């Protein structure tokens, strides 16, 4: 989602009559500002938030229109049907609809400038709309089309506020499905399916190596425009969660959760895992899935893992390259020693293939809105 292009939907009147103004019906009109340079959180893992200072600060804010109100807008969208977040000719993009293909956003953020123009007196600028009116009006416009993008929050900000460079922190999630069964039609575009079992303990050790302040050149794809490969990775974790299309009862859930928080999918597996833990053996979540098939028509369940990456900014494709490495560690193709070797090599040519876009979600972009 771009933070950038001042994008506002046009509508003849507020969607909620209770918020209607006594003046003639107004419309949300795009300001004349040129596009801003980049998104608050590029869903493809390319963000340089906070790097620009000094003489660049004016450019960061974009050209200012004193007649327009600047709003901070949070959006969610299914990225599969978009060609990316930036404006592109002849392609359906997130920016293009509001005004890295296949990547999703639980909460991406942009800023937009909106003038409220009187229809009765063209050229007369009215009092800006309340954020709630903007949210309802834009969503009304969006839902008339594909319905795969929605504004989730709106607030007023200062004219020099920049959604990309004011961001303090960004969080991404990546979903992996592990298991031999074919992927459900509901999951094909929402996670990366790995047919092999994944060793989550090895993946966690690999995560600990990457956390911290490093030269991440080995996780920087060609075309990255960041000034420096140095980044501080505040969090990189992997956890097992219930699959998206699995709906356990409270009894099932209590039977499936072990004391260490890992998940198993039958009482038998839970007992086996508990016994191995008691005698010092390492438990594995990748046990036989045949026990999951209880009746005709039921599907074998996958194990679902979520990788969470949190930092102020990321390099181009950094998150997907790190997930690709973690996957290789999880399948046993690489060791934790290889992780250190690849990180220290400082060249992307030594890294394993990056994870596909379908499993990546921009989860949150954090701001300090009190200042």
């Amino acid at each position: 989602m771009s933070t950038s292009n001042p994008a506002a939907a046009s509508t003849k009147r507020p969607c909620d009559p209770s918020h209607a103004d006594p003046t003639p019906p107004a419309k949300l009109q795009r300001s004349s500002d040129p596009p801003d340079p980049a998104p608050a959180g590029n869903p493809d893992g390319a963000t340089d938030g906070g790097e620009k200072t000094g003489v660049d600060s004016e450019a960061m804010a974009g050209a200012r229109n004193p007649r327009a109100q600047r709003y901070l807008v949070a959006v969610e969208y299914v990225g599969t049907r978009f060609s990316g977040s930036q404006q592109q000719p002849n392609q359906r993009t997130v920016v293009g609809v509001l005004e890295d293909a296949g990547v999703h956003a639980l909460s991406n953020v942009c800023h937009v400038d909106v003038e409220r123009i009187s229809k009765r007196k063209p050229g007369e600028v009215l009092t800006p709309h309340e954020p709630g009116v903007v949210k309802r009006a834009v969503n009304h416009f969006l839902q008339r089309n594909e319905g795969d993008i929605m504004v989730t929050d709106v607030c007023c900000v200062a004219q020099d506020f920049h959604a990309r460079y004011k961001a303090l922190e960004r969080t991404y999630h990546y979903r992996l499905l592990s298991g031999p069964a074919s992927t459900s039609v509901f999951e094909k575009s929402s996670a990366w399916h790995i047919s092999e079992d994944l060793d989550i303990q090895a993946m966690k050790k690999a995560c600990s190596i990457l956390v911290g302040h490093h030269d991440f050149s080995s996780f920087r794809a060609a075309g990255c425009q960041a000034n420096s490969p140095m980044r501080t990775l505040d969090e990189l974790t992997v956890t097992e969660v219930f699959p998206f299309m699995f709906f356990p009862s409270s009894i099932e859930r209590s039977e499936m959760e072990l004391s260490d928080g890992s998940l198993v999918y039958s009482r038998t597996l839970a007992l086996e895992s508990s016994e191995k833990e008691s005698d010092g053996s390492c438990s594995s979540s990748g046990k036989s899935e045949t026990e999951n098939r209880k009746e005709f028509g039921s599907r074998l369940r996958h194990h679902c893992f979520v990788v969470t990456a949190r930092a102020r900014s990321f390099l181009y494709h950094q998150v997907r390259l790190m997930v690709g490495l973690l996957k290789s560690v999880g399948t046993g193709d690489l060791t934790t020693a290889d992780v250190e070797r690849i990180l220290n090599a400082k060249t992307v040519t030594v890294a394993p293939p990056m994870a596909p876009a379908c499993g990546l979600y921009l989860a949150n972009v954090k701001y300090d809105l009190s200042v």
Side-chain angles (χ1 to χ4, degrees), residues 312-324:
R312 185 174 188 182
S313 61
F314 293 88
L315 301 169
Y316 186 45
H317 286 331
Q318 180 181 347
V319 177
R320 289 168 61 187
L321 282 162
M322 291 191 301
V323 173

Side-chain angles (χ1 to χ4, degrees), residues 118-237:
S118 170
K119 289 188 66 176
R120 179 178 294 177
K121 298 179 180 180
E124 179 181 352
V125 179
L126 303 177
T127 302
H129 284 294
E130 291 296 317
V133 174
V134 175
K135 175 182 174 181
R136 285 187 290 273
V138 175
N139 278 333
H140 176 73
F141 168 79
L142 294 174
Q143 299 312 306
R144 292 188 311 177
N145 294 284
E146 302 293 337
D148 46 11
I149 179 171
M150 175 180 289
V151 173
T152 60
D153 206 358
V154 178
C155 71
C156 296
V157 292
Q159 282 194 335
D160 62 350
F161 188 95
H162 196 289
R164 175 178 175 183
Y165 296 110
K166 291 291 186 179
L168 302 178
E169 185 177 88
R170 297 160 173 88
T171 301
Y172 289 89
H173 296 314
Y174 196 99
R175 295 182 71 241
L176 303 104
L177 297 178
S178 171
S182 59
T183 309
S184 164
V185 295
F186 297 103
E187 294 274 34
K188 285 186 180 295
S189 61
S190 63
W192 183 16
H193 177 220
I194 311 298
S195 58
E196 304 100 315
D197 292 333
L198 294 176
D199 184 343
I200 188 172
Q201 298 305 323
M203 295 171 71
K204 287 182 176 181
K205 291 179 182 178
C207 287
S208 65
I209 295 172
L210 297 176
V211 169
H213 187 70
H214 304 289
D215 181 332
F216 281 100
S217 294
S218 296
F219 304 93
R220 179 185 191 180
C224 181
Q225 299 178 5
N227 294 329
S228 169
M230 304 301 297
R231 287 293 183 274
T232 300
L233 186 59
D234 296 310
E235 177 185 352
L236 186 65
T237 58

